[in-house]
């Protein structure tokens, strides 16, 4: 109740700020003052929403239009947002009923300390006066919720705007991840297979020139060229596996993960909960899950000091759930490392989620959920 009283006093100050911004709109300065005043109003209303949500256990949603662009564009957005007038209506009302309820609560508190102190302390009975303060707080929360609750249309529009912003962000991340992947493939081809093919071409040319004059030297050059060809093929297979592992096509996700676990250098147990049964997941989902597991096991082998790890694959009605756990030292930074960033981008491109927990001392657990139509 004391917070409500303090917020009621702050409402008077906020009303003064809003009136000043409205008067300033008659001048050029108002275009810069009004959006900041509306942001202050939003913060005040947001604080009240959090108080009401904490008291009732049911959060109060908010639906605001973003204030972006130049000063006049932000001012127009602030004036045209119905949430501005809803918050302003609450601010004026709360300046009245918030202070009134606080004034009612003060004598109830004093009387309750005297009456209930004797009633509960000496006679061991239930309090009868102090619970009235809770009813006053309930009344304040109910009125504030009714005034601050956005309309269903505004709430749907706000959620749609958030979804569009989220999809734009994940699309940008997917584009960045795609560009990084293309650069990696180009670098691997340039530094690996292309360099070996150039060396192979030079050795074949030298062998042709030396064939008639020095057959033994030509034979040695051809043998070296064959070695170069095999190394180039190995490099090309490595690049192909980085694009889409052929083992996924041949053996499916579970078989590919078991092969990956066998070559990770750790003792890895693979648990399959229905993934191998029934139809397979789409290729993009399988590839994302495979690369997540590969990155997690690589990080565990390099940085965690773990000897054991486990991989869980769970088939759910509308998604694929992947969990990778290692028994290492923990302490990994969920926001650090290019590998984790690439993992998050790859999963976000499919509208999935990544959660990582890694307390100091271990274990480290990475949980991924990928939407999937089986």
């Amino acid at each position: 109740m004391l917070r409500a009283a303090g917020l009621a006093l702050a409402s008077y100050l906020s009303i003064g700020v809003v009136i000043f911004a409205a008067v300033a709109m008659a001048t050029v300065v108002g275009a810069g003052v009004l959006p900041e005043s509306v942001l202050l109003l939003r913060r005040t209303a947001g604080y009240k929403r959090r108080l009401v949500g904490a008291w009732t256990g049911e959060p109060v949603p908010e639906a605001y239009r973003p204030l972006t662009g130049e000063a006049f564009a932000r001012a127009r957005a602030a004036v045209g947002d119905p949430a501005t007038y809803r918050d302003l209506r609450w601010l004026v009302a709360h300046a009245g009923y918030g202070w009134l309820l606080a004034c009612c609560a003060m004598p109830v508190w004093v009387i309750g300390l005297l009456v209930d102190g004797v009633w509960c302390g000496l006679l061991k009975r239930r309090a009868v006066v102090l619970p009235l303060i809770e009813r006053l707080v309930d009344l304040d929360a109910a009125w504030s919720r009714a005034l601050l609750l956005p309309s269903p249309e505004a709430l749907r529009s706000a959620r749609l705007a958030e979804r569009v912003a989220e999809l734009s962000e994940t699309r940008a991340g997917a584009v960045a991840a795609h560009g990084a992947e293309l650069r990696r493939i180009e670098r691997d081809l340039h530094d690996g297979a292309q360099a070996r093919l150039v060396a192979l071409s030079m050795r074949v040319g030298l062998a042709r020139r030396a064939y008639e004059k020095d057959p033994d030297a030509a034979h040695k050059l051809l043998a070296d060229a064959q070695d170069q060809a095999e190394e180039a093929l190995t490099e090309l297979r490595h690049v192909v596996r980085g694009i889409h592992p052929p083992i996924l096509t041949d053996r499916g996700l579970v078989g590919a993960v078991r092969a990956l676990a066998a070559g990770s250098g750790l003792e890895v147990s693979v648990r399959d909960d229905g993934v191998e049964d029934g139809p397979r997941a789409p290729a993009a989902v399988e590839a994302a899950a495979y690369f997540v597991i590969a990155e997690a096991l690589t990080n565990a082998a390099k940085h965690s000091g773990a000897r054991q790890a486990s991989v869980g694959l769970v088939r759910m009605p509308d998604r694929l759930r992947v969990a990778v756990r290692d028994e290492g030292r923990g302490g990994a930074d969920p926001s650090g490392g290019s590998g984790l960033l690439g993992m998050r981008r790859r999963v976000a491109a499919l509208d999935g989620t990544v959660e990582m927990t890694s307390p100091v001392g271990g274990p480290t657990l990475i949980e991924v959920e990928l939407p999937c139509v089986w």
Side-chain angles (χ1 to χ4, degrees), residues 133-369:
I133 297 179
E134 293 186 2
R135 295 184 181 181
L136 292 175
V137 178
D138 290 338
L139 190 60
D140 173 75
W143 288 349
S144 298
R145 177 182 292 276
L147 291 171
L148 290 173
L149 194 66
S151 63
E153 294 79 7
L155 197 57
R156 282 195 296 269
S157 299
R159 288 175 177 172
L160 180 60
E162 290 178 0
R163 182 60 176 161
V164 170
E166 179 184 352
L167 290 176
S168 299
E169 183 178 354
T170 56
R171 179 180 178 274
V175 170
H178 179 67
E181 190 71 9
L182 288 178
R183 289 190 296 271
R184 182 191 67 79
I185 294 172
E186 180 183 7
R187 183 176 61 252
D188 290 346
L189 289 174
H190 181 272
D191 297 341
Q194 179 177 323
R196 298 189 186 281
L197 289 174
V198 170
L200 171 62
S201 176
M202 293 177 61
R203 289 183 183 277
V204 171
L206 292 173
R208 286 183 59 188
R209 293 189 184 94
Y211 183 74
E212 295 181 356
K213 298 179 180 180
D214 192 351
D216 293 335
H219 180 75
K220 185 178 183 304
L221 289 171
L222 289 174
D224 292 341
Q226 184 178 6
D227 294 339
Q228 292 284 344
E230 292 175 355
E231 292 175 358
L233 287 174
T234 302
E235 291 286 344
L236 288 174
R237 291 192 189 99
H238 175 74
V239 173
V240 169
R241 282 196 298 269
I243 298 173
H244 184 84
I247 195 172
L248 273 177
T249 305
D250 299 336
R251 300 174 56 180
L253 179 59
V254 177
V257 170
R258 285 178 177 149
L260 187 65
S264 65
L266 302 173
E267 297 179 13
V268 182
S269 61
V270 179
R271 180 175 56 86
D272 166 33
D273 189 358
V275 176
E276 205 168 14
D277 304 329
R280 292 177 57 174
V285 174
E286 286 192 342
Y290 179 87
F291 283 115
V292 164
I293 296 170
E295 181 66 31
L297 292 179
T298 300
N299 289 341
K302 287 184 176 180
H303 307 298
S304 72
R307 294 183 179 180
Q308 296 180 339
S310 62
V311 177
L313 300 170
V314 181
R315 179 193 185 101
M316 304 177 73
D318 59 346
R319 65 192 61 206
L320 171 66
R321 188 172 183 271
V322 178
V324 183
R325 174 188 172 112
D326 70 72
E327 305 301 329
R329 64 176 63 95
D333 184 5
S335 60
S338 58
L340 288 174
L341 178 60
M343 181 190 302
R344 293 182 184 278
R345 284 177 172 175
R346 187 182 291 272
V347 172
L350 298 176
D351 205 20
T353 59
V354 179
E355 292 186 5
M356 176 179 175
T357 56
S358 182
V360 177
T364 297
L365 176 63
I366 298 177
E367 296 178 298
V368 174
E369 290 191 358

Side-chain angles (χ1 to χ4, degrees), residues 84-167:
T84 301
Y85 303 100
R86 181 172 57 249
D87 289 352
L88 188 60
R89 180 185 61 187
W90 163 81
L91 185 69
V92 175
H94 189 264
Y97 73 77
W99 183 246
L100 177 63
L101 293 176
C103 291
C104 293
M106 291 178 185
V108 173
W109 180 265
V110 176
I111 297 173
L113 289 178
L114 296 176
V115 175
D116 289 341
V118 176
W119 188 254
C120 300
L122 299 180
L123 302 180
K124 307 298 183 182
R125 302 292 182 87
R126 293 179 58 186
V128 294
V129 179
L130 290 178
L132 295 176
I133 297 179
E134 293 186 2
R135 295 184 181 181
L136 292 175
V137 178
D138 290 338
L139 190 60
D140 173 75
W143 288 349
S144 298
R145 177 182 292 276
L147 291 171
L148 290 173
L149 194 66
S151 63
E153 294 79 7
L155 197 57
R156 282 195 296 269
S157 299
R159 288 175 177 172
L160 180 60
E162 290 178 0
R163 182 60 176 161
V164 170
E166 179 184 352
L167 290 176

